[in-house]
Amino acid sequence: MSLINKSLMLIGFCLIPFQSSFAQDQAATRRSDLSIAIPKLDIPVMSIDGYLNEEIWSQAAETADFMQYIPVDGRPAEDGTKIKLWYGSSALYIGIEAQEVHGEVRSTLADRDNLDNDDRVVIVLDTYDDQRSAFAFIVNPLGQQADGTLKDAGSASSGFGRGGGEPFSVDENPDFLFTSQGRLTDTGYVVEIEIPFKSLRFTNAATQNWGFNVLRKVQHSGYWSSWSGARLGGASFMAQNGSLSGLSELSRGRVLEINPEIRGALRRGPEPEKFERDTTDPFGLNVRYGLSSNMVLNATLNPDFSQIEADVVQINYDPRRSVSFPEKRPFFLDGIEMFSSPTRLIYTRSIANPLAAVKVAGKSGSTTIAALSAVDNGGPSIADVDASYVNAIRIKQDLGGQNSVGVVYTDRMHDDWSNRVFAIDGNVIARDKYSFSAQTGFSSTTGLGGIAPMWNAGANFSTRKWSGGLSTTGYHADFDPAVGFLSRGNQVTLNANGARTVYGKEGGFLERASLSLRLTGAWDYDGFMNGDSAEDIRFYPTFSFQMRGGWGLSIFTWFESFGYPANFFTHYYLKTNTGFEPYKGVPHLINVGPMITLSSPQFDRYSGFIRFGFGRDPNYDEWADANIRNIELEVRYTPTDQLRLELRYDHQQHFRASDKSLVSLSRVPRLKVEYQITPTLFVRFVGQYRSLYKDALRDDSRTNFPIYYLASDGSYVKADSRRSNNIQADFLVSYRPTPGTVVFVGYGTAKSEQDTYRFRNFTRQGDGFFMKLSYLFRV
């Protein structure tokens, strides 16, 4: 019996108990008092100072009775939380009194969106009350802010997690303007929040209800609690929100934001001794205009999309796959959740250097509309434009409940070349346990002829103890989403997964444990259509444990059979007695090993995790068996409330299985130091050392002949050993009183050295100073 058949039987066996336990595994009925009719109170001016002693707060609606949510749900929260709410004609006001009698409150003067080490509360506002996505406003006990968009996390998991992921996810890249202040008390902390309606999208109905929830994270225990009494195991976290009811006569007013910016830079490369001024046009402009209370128009001209901080290096365990990075650029972030679909057919980072762009996003009745047009400049400057024209449209129609259908259209045109993509999709959630989503479409690209199809479909069930699902994806060899992102094309996959979760006794050491099984078969597209056997078969058992006090342990294991990807080695050749011959690898490689992750709780000043993997994995450089050693380490240290240090180390090492010789080694230490001078002013240093070594390549699995590359000029170049040691350092002073109003002054340098970790005889690759000023005018 094949590995795939045995594994399917094992997953099926794990899911059998679900049939008999379905009735008894229903989530407990949630409280019936989840609708809050908050009063509308008008006052001339409201001071946000972290004190709730003004007379108006005595008239606010009050609610409490938080329930523990993560890692174990359904129990009263250990630390009490009280919420007070009221609204005026132009803003929503929220007061939170958080008790903390079991441990110390963890809070620092953290920069925006950097509250992971702190106690915090998350205000969830689903202003359309459609249970699809929500605004998230996050504050720590001192009133420092984070924000973004919140949605259901989905069922997919890599198994590499730090143990016990949340059923919701927050994209903290979008920024919204709101006011908050907090203070510590003898019994915990108090937070006061004002959220202007100008910062939100909502319907224009005279009276409306908003989905509402408040989550609280207590760092010393690692516990999340939920005001709505949300339960684990449901198909949707968003469906378990409560509501704010009877909101009436909301005045968003005219929303017009004008955000001019000016920047400048001095740069030099390896050779010049003097800095030269960057000739890029220094002026840019962003405009945001509210067409209505739920539809926003954004426009930008020559925006500055330089990154304040470079993307963190990601370990890519399979070089046949591409790695994506999150969007961080302000213009694209506003309403970005409205462009999402089951397949990432709209990936805004594919628009690398827009000269100008316009975007409209919002909701009209039950229809979500998002459209984007941009001119992407591949040339060196505005004066020398090499334009590509990009369009992306996403429309989604709600069908009741959380069900929907949608369409995606994108195109990209450059001179005589063009690419177009069209797809339709649907989503169904039934009885808060079953979910189904599907998408199918095609692309048409100049020079490839005809259309290239794709599909993506999945069905899942989820209860508190049992979960599982089936999914499939398929991408024709010519399918090209030029405005989207695929980690790997020309592939069809079939996936099956199942999981069993058990919960420990209250007060016990083990709080939650789960066993998940995932089986994947992969074919190239034509091979699947021809009925061939799967090229790759992967079986991933994963054990996850949450322990009392916030400790987490995950053991991810892999059993894999990989087929030879011939197209990955088309530039490889072997030199024989008769000349150069194309490289041919062994048909299959068998891989097995564990990846173990241990994560710590948030101690008074420390937190972190370590991940260690070893076993048999492909030596992709030579397509041969290899013994691997992977290490990821992250330590966060907060010696004071204003100083934060983060050390990260990524290590990936491959040894030939034949003679234990080293074939490749990657080491990337990264240090980030931040000092928060005031709540809005900080200085930051980021230093990264990237050391790469690759041995001279040979045909290790068959002939031991040396490998040659076929160069672009038709010559053959021997794949000799090579080493690189690159150092990057960035210094930044940042003043950001509100989103959109910023002052950045910084210096960045890139160097290399011959010998690893010697820190001498540096060769400069480039360095430079930069400055950016922008100011947000909100009319």
Side-chain angles (χ1 to χ4, degrees), residues 113-309:
D113 296 334
N114 198 8
L115 307 185
D116 289 349
N117 293 343
D118 295 356
D119 283 49
R120 56 195 182 275
V121 291
V122 181
I123 312 299
V124 180
L125 293 178
D126 179 5
T127 54
Y128 292 117
D129 198 23
D130 60 6
Q131 303 174 1
R132 286 163 174 79
S133 66
F135 294 95
F137 297 91
I138 310 169
V139 293
N140 76 357
L142 298 182
Q144 295 296 97
Q145 299 180 354
D147 51 7
T149 55
L150 181 147
K151 62 181 181 179
D152 291 330
S155 59
S157 174
S158 68
F160 286 5
R162 306 179 194 179
E166 292 84 19
F168 55 88
S169 63
V170 179
D171 180 358
E172 292 186 350
N173 289 303
D175 289 330
F176 309 108
L177 188 62
F178 70 105
T179 305
S180 60
Q181 189 60 257
R183 61 185 177 88
L184 300 179
T185 67
D186 293 338
T187 58
Y189 61 91
V190 176
V191 171
E192 187 177 22
I193 303 170
E194 178 188 41
I195 303 175
F197 295 143
K198 282 180 179 288
S199 297
L200 305 174
R201 288 184 175 91
F202 49 88
T203 70
N204 56 9
T207 302
Q208 52 193 280
N209 299 334
W210 290 0
F212 175 74
N213 202 354
V214 177
L215 304 171
R216 179 181 172 190
K217 175 67 179 292
V218 178
Q219 284 291 1
H220 75 81
S221 65
Y223 289 171
W224 285 91
S225 58
S226 161
W227 166 76
S228 73
R231 301 300 296 263
L232 296 172
S236 170
F237 166 79
M238 291 290 297
Q240 302 185 66
N241 288 333
S243 68
L244 303 179
S245 61
L247 299 170
S248 63
E249 299 178 358
L250 305 181
S251 175
R252 192 168 183 245
R254 182 174 63 178
V255 177
L256 175 59
E257 296 176 355
I258 302 173
N259 189 202
E261 58 188 34
I262 182 172
R263 63 268 185 180
L266 297 173
R267 308 183 190 278
R268 61 178 176 177
E271 300 300 332
E273 293 299 322
K274 294 182 179 181
F275 289 97
E276 296 182 356
R277 186 176 67 86
D278 193 328
T279 58
T280 303
D281 193 303
F283 299 101
L285 180 67
N286 301 286
V287 178
R288 182 175 184 265
Y289 179 69
L291 300 173
S292 66
S293 64
N294 55 14
M295 192 71 66
V296 175
L297 173 71
N298 295 78
T300 187
L301 179 65
N302 190 32
D304 174 30
F305 286 157
S306 60
Q307 296 301 305
I308 302 169
E309 181 180 343

Side-chain angles (χ1 to χ4, degrees), residues 343-363:
T343 305
R344 191 178 293 187
L345 298 179
I346 302 176
Y347 177 57
T348 52
R349 286 190 65 150
S350 67
I351 306 172
N353 183 33
L355 175 63
V358 63
K359 175 178 66 174
V360 62
K363 198 161 187 177

